[in-house]
Amino acid sequence: SAISDEYLSALNRWTREKTVYAELETRALIVATYESQIFIDAFRDEYARIYQLPRGDERVGKNMLGNGEKGFEEFLFYASMPDRDANDFAREDSVWDIFLLSENYERFYPDEIREVTAISPVIKKFFPYVNPYYGKFYSLRFACPEKGVGESQKRLKLVFASVLGRVELEWGY
């Protein structure tokens, strides 16, 4: 069954993309989806629709890469770069530094950066920007105080910084 326009619209609304260039050469392409509650609901609805499952079915939640747990902010991101050795976000000594900036410039570092190595047909359909031949797909999780930075604030900025360049992806709603 084809992915619905409703889901693709939600994916588009919660996804940001940026390419870093140096001397007309691409250094890095990063595409990230913020797993807001609205996006998680859209994913679950679409998964349940395709597989004809009741909305509360446990198989729907199992297929989310993040779980929408309160107190956490989660992102999925795809990174592609000509220097494959630099695509090392999940390594402890990564060339990249990742952090989340809240509206009042409070900085949060990820509690978990996990490479998603099993790129299934489900992932490729639900996240059409993922191309395992050119890049890697990651899950990113931040522990944030109270009920989560993104849900309680108007702006959220995800920053990727390295010697290769800087990528800032912003969500404002």
Side-chain angles (χ1 to χ4, degrees):
S1 178
I3 298 291
S4 71
D5 290 342
E6 291 81 12
Y7 171 77
L8 291 174
S9 173
L11 177 67
N12 191 43
R13 178 179 172 201
W14 297 101
T15 300
R16 303 290 182 271
E17 177 177 330
K18 181 127 186 226
T19 304
V20 176
Y21 298 99
E23 293 94 46
L24 303 175
E25 183 183 293
T26 300
R27 284 276 172 91
L29 161 70
I30 295 180
V31 185
T33 300
Y34 170 40
E35 291 198 306
S36 67
Q37 193 56 56
I38 294 166
F39 174 76
I40 289 169
D41 290 344
F43 180 97
R44 287 181 174 151
D45 289 347
E46 185 68 359
Y47 192 91
R49 182 190 70 80
I50 289 170
Y51 288 97
Q52 298 181 336
L53 298 168
R55 195 169 192 288
D57 193 293
E58 64 182 35
R59 287 169 289 185
V60 175
K62 268 189 200 148
N63 282 286
M64 281 295 298
L65 290 165
N67 57 14
E69 198 179 319
K70 293 285 179 229
F72 287 94
E73 293 297 352
E74 295 179 81
F75 297 82
L76 295 169
F77 76 93
Y78 169 79
S80 173
M81 50 199 71
D83 180 0
R84 290 191 65 83
D85 290 340
N87 197 341
D88 67 350
F89 295 91
R91 276 202 4 230
E92 211 158 295
D93 61 343
S94 173
V95 67
W96 294 93
D97 192 19
I98 305 173
F99 55 91
L100 197 57
L101 273 180
S102 68
E103 194 173 33
N104 54 2
Y105 300 102
E106 198 174 348
R107 193 179 277 215
F108 298 93
Y109 288 95
D111 287 78
E112 179 184 76
I113 304 170
R114 187 172 50 85
E115 183 180 343
V116 179
T117 52
I119 305 298
S120 66
V122 172
I123 288 174
K124 286 196 255 185
K125 283 289 188 194
F126 276 86
F127 302 95
Y129 53 78
V130 174
N131 183 334
Y133 301 106
Y134 295 107
K136 295 180 180 180
F137 194 40
Y138 297 90
S139 168
L140 189 56
R141 188 175 182 170
F142 296 86
C144 296
E146 296 136 23
K147 67 183 189 80
V149 175
E151 301 293 332
S152 63
Q153 304 213 4
K154 293 177 187 71
R155 299 184 103 55
L156 194 62
K157 190 182 284 189
L158 183 60
V159 180
F160 299 83
S162 87
V163 293
L164 298 173
R166 182 180 180 93
V167 171
E168 294 185 3
L169 303 172
E170 196 169 315
W171 287 262
Y173 55 96

